[in-house]
């Protein structure tokens, strides 16, 4: 999904990329602009998803009762920090995938 978003962003800005190349911008500079933006969006999206997931876990019952199911789906202690790692991992993967897709797309452009 991230790769497709990077390719779509590059395709939508072909004219800007051509002008940047005409004034001497290197591929790394052009790629950096797209990578930062998409990685930040991935970090924000991963953070929102982690927050919603934590909120859903808080709704589940902690105690076993005769009328509830899905009991015990929760973290304890330092395990609550694990969902905070997810947005960082998503941003890192997004950064790497976007960079690879952008360089690949730029190589194919005239």
């Amino acid at each position: 999904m991230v790769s497709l978003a990077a390719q779509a962003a590059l395709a939508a800005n072909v004219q800007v990329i051509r002008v940047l190349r005409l004034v001497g911008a290197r591929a790394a500079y052009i790629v950096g602009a797209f990578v930062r933006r998409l990685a930040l969006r991935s970090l924000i999206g991963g953070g929102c998803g982690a927050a919603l997931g934590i909120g859903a876990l808080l709704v589940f019952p902690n105690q076993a009762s005769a009328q509830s199911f899905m009991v015990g789906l929760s973290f304890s202690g330092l395990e609550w920090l694990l969902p905070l790692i997810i947005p960082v991992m998503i941003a890192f993967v997004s950064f790497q995938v976007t960079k690879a897709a952008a360089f690949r797309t730029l190589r194919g452009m005239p």
Side-chain angles (χ1 to χ4, degrees):
M1 198 67 176
V2 172
S3 179
L4 290 173
Q7 290 174 352
L10 287 166
N13 293 301
V14 169
Q15 296 299 329
V16 174
I17 292 169
R18 286 187 180 146
V19 170
L20 285 171
R21 283 187 166 180
L22 284 174
V23 297
R26 302 210 183 273
Y29 176 79
I30 297 168
V31 167
F34 290 100
V35 168
R36 279 190 303 273
R37 188 172 62 208
L38 289 175
L40 180 63
R41 287 181 182 174
S42 296
L43 180 65
I44 292 169
C48 291
L52 288 172
I54 290 171
L57 284 175
L58 292 173
V59 173
F60 289 136
N62 291 333
Q63 302 288 331
S65 68
Q67 298 172 347
S68 64
F69 69 100
M70 296 179 73
V71 176
L73 293 176
S74 182
F75 296 120
S76 63
L78 291 177
E79 291 176 350
W80 281 102
L81 295 177
L82 291 175
L84 300 178
I85 296 171
I86 294 171
V88 175
M89 288 180 7
I90 289 172
F92 177 75
V93 169
S94 172
F95 179 84
Q96 297 299 326
V97 169
T98 302
K99 189 166 92 172
F103 275 120
R104 185 175 58 245
T105 303
L106 285 176
R107 266 188 249 122
M109 285 184 176

